[in-house]
């Protein structure tokens, strides 16, 4: 089978390039379907790849890029001005058909802007949503849009529902996934203007399994597979999830270390706690795709380690194998 | 000192009237500052109060109301048509100066509509926000608006900030509380149109201690005292908080009961877990006030037990003693 080629923004993220390069090495070592192009400062990447990781195979190559987009850079000007940055060069590889996908743990804003300006939208797609999986008691739900393009219109949300359904079905292997719109109540009259205007359009949309409004307290119980919302709200829910889960586990840890008695108890319950922490880790799925672009763009968490980078790279395989973009194109242009 | 008179919608809530009446009894038994008027079906309330609770004092009286607003009722028509409902009669007591405050665990929508139509807004108040305290690692932050009046305008949010500051300062006893606007990033250019339009107005507002944008992941760390947002977003954050905290504790419990080893460990760590669960219980503060009305309206959680009803009733004392409404009137009309 033809390999899936992933362009990795090797300089993006809190622990780049050490962890990004290590993640790439892990990915190609554990999967023969993948080729990775490391994009970034060549000398630095050579050192990491050959000297530190001791890699000598041919499933990873290096493409030089002299600049780095920093977290503080304004996204639009960074993409326009830093043409030789690792992110822009990686994205150009996708645009030019030299790679199937780009993975970056760098600035979310720059990835969103670059995805649209460099990789480009599929024809008919009005706005590409950032679509992370969020953990639930039943598995995962797709929450989209969690990007930075706020104040969406109803027709955007309908496309999010369509693309999200295709992505969920093909990645999670569940036929006809359920779709809900995030709302402040399930009654007919509930919702802000955007939700009220979007609901009838979702009801009329023949290609999705729309089940109605979903309240935020139902998200973690896995009430629906695909949750559609405007990006300001999605972003706030996602970050609140991260913040609350982290804080609860931190507070739990503190409480458990408060006395000898609880310390002994903690030794006994540790496996259960670890399992729970892992289950509700919002970054456990590696990265979030930006749907509706001409190639795949995956945004990994800024603090990704080699493990998350490896997962994000491997995600790209099923995206290509399942022909998700072809299916999106067919569905939207219907 | 003159007693604070609280009209209790004795028929509102999942466990009414048993728990509402018990809550009233507990409140007057533990605080001599309070008088409660139980509003609802007289015969039923007499039975609860005199027979079941064995109350015989004069700090509780009963006012008859023959109707009940159900959770499924459409708020506006319920308030207009069920004129002899426990909620409407209780609110009329406040409107007519016969009570200082009304407490209800009934339908949020009906309480919001009734607050505006029956009790009435203070002069100059454009929209009364529902303002619950949310638990943080530092104590509590006030999150407003969490009501059902969505799609707010910038001038609404500025009033929320002003009223929230006064409420926080007087109830929590912290001078000059910090105010943040809920946003998807702290950078200048971040935000939806409402946030962008509101930020300069908050900066110019001389009566508050505005510190800028706050990200949702910072909420639980207690980043600011008063968090201002539009009601759709506030509602979603509040309910997501409830849902996630509940689910995490449920999953933790399941994990801890999974083997003999973890069961033994659980016995040892139980106090720490209980403390944590209590700390992050979103209903621990009893009820949320609807700010900016001519009297105090407190919305208690639908599943309130006597404990939460008691706290909600006692809340009304400091509201009146601290002359919060007088201070709001002064501040807004400045």
């Amino acid at each position: 089978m033809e390999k899936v080629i992933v362009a990795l923004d090797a300089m993006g993220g809190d622990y780049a390039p050490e962890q990004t390069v290590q993640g790439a090495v892990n990915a190609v070592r554990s999967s023969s379907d993948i080729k990775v192009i490391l994009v970034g400062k060549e000398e630095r990447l050579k050192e990491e790849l050959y000297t530190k990781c001791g890699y000598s195979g041919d499933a990873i190559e290096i493409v030089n890029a002299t600049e780095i987009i920093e977290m503080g850079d304004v996204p639009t000007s960074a993409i326009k001005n830093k043409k030789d940055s690792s992110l822009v060069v990686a994205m150009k590889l996708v645009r030019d058909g030299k790679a199937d996908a780009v993975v970056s743990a760098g600035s979310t804003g720059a990835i969103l802007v670059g995805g649209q300006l460099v990789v480009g939208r599929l024809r008919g797609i009005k706005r590409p949503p950032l679509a992370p999986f969020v953990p639930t008691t039943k598995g995962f739900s797709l929450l989209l849009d969690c990007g930075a393009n706020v104040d969406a219109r109803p027709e955007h949300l309908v496309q999010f529902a369509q693309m999200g359904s295709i992505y969920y079905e093909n990645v999670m292997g569940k036929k006809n996934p359920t779709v809900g719109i995030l709302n402040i109540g399930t009654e007919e009259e509930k919702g802000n203007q955007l939700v009220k205007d979007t609901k009838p359009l979702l009801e009329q949309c023949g290609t999705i399994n729309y089940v109605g409004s979903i309240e935020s307290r139902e998200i973690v119980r896995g009430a629906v597979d695909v949750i559609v919302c405007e990006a300001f709200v999605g972003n706030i829910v996602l970050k609140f999830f991260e913040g609350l889960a982290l804080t609860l586990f931190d507070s739990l840890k503190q409480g458990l270390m408060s006395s000898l008695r609880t310390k002994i108890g903690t030794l006994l319950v540790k496996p259960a706690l670890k399992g729970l922490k892992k289950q509700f880790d919002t970054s456990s799925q590696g990265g979030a795709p930006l749907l509706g672009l001409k190639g795949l763009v995956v945004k990994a968490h800024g603090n990704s380690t080699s493990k998350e980078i490896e997962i994000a790279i491997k995600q790209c395989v099923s995206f290509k194998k399942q022909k998700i973009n072809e299916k999106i194109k067919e569905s939207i242009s219907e």
Side-chain angles (χ1 to χ4, degrees), chain A:
Chain A
M1 198 207 81
E2 210 187 338
K3 288 194 179 195
V4 175
I5 304 171
V6 178
L8 176 64
D9 170 12
M11 313 307 282
D14 302 346
Y15 307 120
E18 296 82 359
Q19 296 291 317
T20 49
V21 174
Q22 185 65 56
V25 171
N26 295 350
V28 300
R29 278 187 179 149
S30 59
S31 165
S32 57
D33 293 344
I34 299 170
K35 192 181 154 181
V36 175
I37 305 176
L38 295 176
V39 184
K41 299 190 173 183
E42 197 170 5
E43 289 312 310
R44 186 78 179 78
L45 295 181
K46 276 183 176 166
E47 190 196 327
E48 287 295 329
L49 182 64
Y50 304 129
T51 316
K52 290 201 191 159
C53 296
Y55 184 77
S56 60
D58 60 358
I60 300 183
E61 64 178 81
I62 293 172
V63 164
N64 190 37
T66 57
E67 293 175 291
I68 296 175
I69 294 180
E70 308 288 350
M71 294 308 280
D73 288 348
V74 176
T76 320
S77 46
I79 293 295
K80 284 183 182 161
N81 300 329
K82 291 187 169 177
K83 293 213 184 302
D84 201 38
S85 62
S86 53
L87 179 64
V88 172
V89 173
M91 286 185 159
K92 279 183 187 160
L93 292 173
V94 174
R95 181 195 66 191
D96 299 341
K98 290 174 184 162
D100 300 300
V102 56
V103 169
S104 175
S107 146
T108 308
I111 294 166
L112 297 185
V113 172
Q116 298 190 71
L117 295 187
V118 182
V119 178
R121 279 174 286 166
L122 287 174
R123 202 172 151 177
I125 298 296
K126 294 180 172 76
R127 180 180 285 195
L130 188 69
F133 280 110
V134 293
T136 73
T137 50
K138 291 184 188 164
F140 292 93
S141 295
L142 195 69
L143 180 70
L144 74 174
D145 184 7
C146 288
N149 282 324
V150 293
D151 295 323
R153 294 195 303 272
E155 59 268 33
H156 296 145
L157 267 65
V158 174
Q159 287 197 340
F160 298 169
Q162 292 175 298
M163 292 191 277
S165 296
I166 293 167
Y167 183 70
Y168 194 96
E169 176 163 332
N170 285 281
V171 170
M172 287 292 163
K174 183 181 172 187
K175 280 270 167 213
N176 219 16
T178 51
V179 177
I181 186 165
L182 188 56
N183 201 354
I184 57 172
T186 52
E187 301 87 346
E188 190 50 39
E189 76 279 5
K190 286 281 175 77
N192 58 12
Q193 202 53 52
L194 175 65
V195 168
K196 285 179 182 170
D197 292 344
T198 306
K199 283 200 284 184
L201 302 181
L202 289 172
E203 276 158 21
Q204 287 155 25
C205 181
T207 56
I208 59 166
N209 181 11
Y210 175 62
V211 295
S213 293
I214 165 184
E215 283 205 77
S216 58
R217 77 172 107 224
E218 302 296 326
I219 293 177
V220 192
R221 291 183 208 157
V224 296
D225 300 318
V226 178
I227 306 157
V228 173
C229 62
E230 183 272 330
F232 186 84
V233 173
N235 212 296
I236 279 178
V237 167
L238 184 71
K239 286 178 183 160
F240 187 72
F241 196 150
E242 281 176 31
L244 181 57
L246 260 177
T247 303
L248 282 178
F249 285 116
D250 280 353
S251 302
L252 182 59
K253 210 171 156 186
Q254 275 179 29
L256 294 179
M257 289 297 132
S258 59
S259 73
L260 183 62
R261 175 191 155 137
T262 55
K263 277 182 194 168
I264 295 168
T266 305
L267 287 177
L268 299 169
V269 300
K270 214 171 184 179
L273 295 183
K274 259 190 143 171
L276 188 68
K277 194 171 179 183
K278 206 176 158 193
Q279 189 191 344
F280 288 101
D281 178 0
T282 48
S283 65
S284 62
Q285 286 294 292
L290 201 51
L291 298 174
L293 297 177
K294 285 178 186 160
L296 175 60
V297 175
V298 173
K299 151 80 190 136
H301 205 284
N303 63 13
S304 291
T305 61
S306 59
K307 183 74 204 153
E308 283 89 36
I309 296 291
E310 180 188 347
I311 302 173
I313 292 171
K314 287 179 174 172
Q315 251 176 288
C316 304
V317 177
S318 65
F319 197 90
K320 191 186 177 192
K321 279 194 186 164
Q322 303 284 348
K323 299 190 195 329
I324 290 179
N325 256 4
E326 285 78 351
K327 289 171 185 166
I328 288 177
K329 265 192 273 183
E330 273 169 35
S331 168
I332 301 290
S333 60
E334 255 170 12

